[in-house]
Amino acid sequence: TTTLPNDNGMVSILSGNDSTHLFHLNTDPNAQQYNICDDCVTGPINLGFDFHYFDHVFNQAWMYSNGVLGFQAPTGQGFCCSGEHLSSSLSSDYNYKIFPLWTDLIGGNNTFYSLQTDEGRIFGWYNINEYGTQNKSSFEVALKNDDTFKIIYGHVDVKPHTITMGFTGNASAGEYYQYYNGVGSRQPASNTTVFYQPHVDPCINNPLHSNTCP
C-alpha cells in the first residue's frame, strides 16, 4: 500500500490471486460500445452518480482511445502519442484524469465499452493494439459510487512506446500518483489491480507509514 501526498488517499496494488478479473464488457449485451477514432475521445458519458474525486464532484467522464479516462471536458488534448512523467504534466489538460495505460493505442471494432452497474460505472478497453504493432492489451477502470476506483489489467503488451500508469487531481499542485512510467511494459501489469481509496487514515490502514503513528 502507498499513501498519497497531502493525505489524498491510499493506493493498494494487488497481483496474482489477489487481483480482480476483468469484467469483459465486450461480451456483455448490456454494455454500451463506442467507436473512438485514433488519438480521439468520446463523451460526455453520464456516470449515473456523483463521483467525489480530489475534493471535486463529477457526474460525467470522457474516454480516450489512448488509454485515458478524464472528468473534465477535453480541450483538444488527445494524449498522442506516448505517456509522459506526470511530474512534468502541469497543463490543466492533465487535471482530473485516470491513466490506466496512457500510450499510443489504436482501436477497432469491439474495443471501447462502458457499463453502469448497481455499484457504479465500468470503462473497458479490450484487445487494443499498440500503434504500428500487433501487441494487444485489455484493461478496465471501475468507478464505484463509494468514491473508490479500481484499475484492472487483464493483459498488457506494449514494447516500443512509453507508458504512463497513474492518476491526477490538480497536477500543477502536485496531486498525482504514478506507479509506472517507462518504455514498454517492462514492469508487468498483467493480472494486476490498482485500488484507490480516498481520504483514509494511514495510521489505521498502514501503521508502519510513519513514526508519528501511535
Side-chain angles (χ1 to χ4, degrees), residues 80-126:
C80 178
C81 287
S82 289
E84 301 174 10
H85 200 284
L86 294 179
S87 65
S88 63
S89 303
L90 302 182
S91 164
S92 61
D93 290 335
Y94 298 91
N95 290 348
Y96 307 103
K97 300 289 191 299
I98 299 176
F99 302 95
L101 190 68
W102 173 20
T103 190
D104 197 2
L105 302 174
I106 184 166
N109 293 331
N110 305 314
T111 301
F112 309 101
Y113 291 83
S114 82
L115 175 69
Q116 186 172 356
T117 70
D118 292 340
E119 295 184 339
R121 183 172 286 274
I122 306 165
F123 298 84
W125 294 252
Y126 301 101

Side-chain angles (χ1 to χ4, degrees), residues 177-206:
Y177 177 69
Q178 178 175 274
Y179 49 96
Y180 182 63
N181 173 249
V183 178
S185 46
R186 294 176 181 173
Q187 177 175 325
S190 299
N191 302 314
T192 297
T193 300
V194 179
F195 178 54
Y196 171 70
Q197 298 171 275
H199 304 298
V200 297
D201 183 346
C203 292
I204 295 176
N205 286 270
N206 185 11

Side-chain angles (χ1 to χ4, degrees), residues 27-183:
T27 63
D28 191 324
N30 296 314
Q32 184 173 355
Q33 182 180 357
Y34 309 101
N35 291 315
I36 309 177
C37 61
D38 187 30
D39 303 329
C40 293
V41 57
T42 191
I45 301 168
N46 289 326
L47 299 180
F49 60 98
D50 287 340
F51 186 67
H52 297 77
Y53 180 65
F54 283 95
D55 298 324
H56 284 64
V57 181
F58 302 100
N59 54 32
Q60 296 177 321
W62 284 261
M63 190 176 189
Y64 293 78
S65 63
N66 283 328
V68 179
L69 185 71
F71 298 108
Q72 293 183 327
T75 57
Q77 168 64 275
F79 293 97
C80 178
C81 287
S82 289
E84 301 174 10
H85 200 284
L86 294 179
S87 65
S88 63
S89 303
L90 302 182
S91 164
S92 61
D93 290 335
Y94 298 91
N95 290 348
Y96 307 103
K97 300 289 191 299
I98 299 176
F99 302 95
L101 190 68
W102 173 20
T103 190
D104 197 2
L105 302 174
I106 184 166
N109 293 331
N110 305 314
T111 301
F112 309 101
Y113 291 83
S114 82
L115 175 69
Q116 186 172 356
T117 70
D118 292 340
E119 295 184 339
R121 183 172 286 274
I122 306 165
F123 298 84
W125 294 252
Y126 301 101
N127 296 315
I128 184 167
N129 281 72
E130 178 186 12
Y131 184 80
T133 77
Q134 294 301 311
N135 304 330
K136 297 181 183 295
S137 300
S138 295
F139 52 95
E140 298 169 340
V141 176
L143 305 178
K144 296 186 67 175
N145 52 25
D146 63 359
D147 302 325
T148 64
F149 68 81
K150 290 182 179 181
I151 301 172
I152 306 165
Y153 296 98
H155 178 70
V156 175
D157 187 6
V158 177
K159 290 186 172 66
H161 293 90
T162 299
I163 297 172
T164 294
M165 297 172 171
F167 52 91
T168 60
N170 184 344
S172 62
E175 293 181 345
Y176 72 90
Y177 177 69
Q178 178 175 274
Y179 49 96
Y180 182 63
N181 173 249
V183 178

